[in-house]
Amino acid sequence: MKKKDIYYETLYNYMSLSEEECEENIKILAKDINYSNKMFTQDIVTKPSWHIAAQVLEARGYPMVSDIIPELFMWLRDWNWPGVQEILNILSTIPKDTLINELEKITLVAKEENDTVWLYWLREFMEENALEKDDFNNKDIFETLKQSIDM
């Protein structure tokens, strides 16, 4: 397979690959900086291959994926979506100060969109990562997430 075809083959034609070929391609894509992180986000990749894209991003890890942290949080709109576990794994490795800043920003977006399901999942993320009120710069954001179950 030609190197230039590996992205499309892996993300759009992965059903034709063996599990071993797919795993090998994920490793190659994770190391190749010619493929930007943005190329593996939900707004670029089709839903059936989100799990593959998330595996590439997880293999890249933080800080390599620091330029798409907001897009990673977008993935948490529904924890039933393909690739969510890999995204949760990545987000859980981000230093707390950066994580809080990004979580606060994305919570404001979810609140502005009145996306109560997303707020619920953001609260779940907050709780799973043992984030407390004192960790937040904006205590109102913490309260918004804490109350999201009642929305």
Side-chain angles (χ1 to χ4, degrees):
M1 179 183 319
K2 295 178 184 174
K3 185 176 179 181
K4 67 178 181 175
D5 298 330
I6 197 167
Y7 174 83
Y8 295 99
E9 188 70 30
T10 306
L11 291 163
Y12 296 99
N13 202 17
Y14 66 90
M15 295 295 283
S16 68
L17 300 174
S18 70
E19 188 175 328
E20 294 79 22
E21 288 173 315
C22 194
E23 288 174 9
E24 184 60 31
N25 287 358
I26 289 168
K27 289 177 188 174
I28 293 167
L29 289 168
K31 292 178 184 174
D32 193 335
I33 61 170
N34 291 313
Y35 298 101
S36 73
N37 291 325
K38 185 76 172 163
M39 293 175 71
F40 301 98
T41 59
Q42 287 179 324
D43 57 335
I44 303 294
V45 178
T46 60
K47 191 172 184 176
S49 58
W50 284 356
H51 68 289
I52 302 289
Q55 289 175 46
V56 172
L57 294 173
E58 182 180 31
R60 287 182 173 193
Y62 184 85
M64 192 171 176
V65 298
S66 61
D67 62 318
I68 59 162
I69 294 173
E71 287 89 344
L72 298 178
F73 273 111
M74 295 284 197
W75 220 301
L76 302 188
R77 287 178 183 244
D78 187 334
W79 282 20
N80 296 307
W81 282 344
V84 165
Q85 188 55 58
E86 291 83 358
I87 300 306
L88 289 169
N89 293 342
I90 298 166
L91 291 171
S92 295
T93 66
I94 296 173
K96 191 180 272 189
D97 60 333
T98 302
L99 183 68
I100 293 293
N101 286 335
E102 295 297 332
L103 179 57
E104 288 180 343
K105 288 178 198 174
I106 211 69
T107 299
L108 291 174
V109 171
K111 187 176 178 182
E112 184 177 298
E113 292 180 10
N114 196 29
D115 191 331
T116 56
V117 173
W118 191 12
L119 288 167
Y120 170 82
W121 290 120
L122 292 173
R123 179 186 60 86
E124 286 293 311
F125 174 80
M126 176 185 75
E127 290 179 355
E128 282 195 11
N129 286 275
L131 300 175
E132 301 290 333
K133 189 172 190 173
D134 289 341
D135 295 323
F136 283 75
N137 302 310
N138 182 338
K139 308 304 183 210
D140 291 340
I141 299 285
F142 175 84
E143 292 301 328
T144 295
L145 290 173
K146 225 23 185 167
Q147 297 168 9
S148 68
I149 193 88
D150 301 326
M151 297 178 139

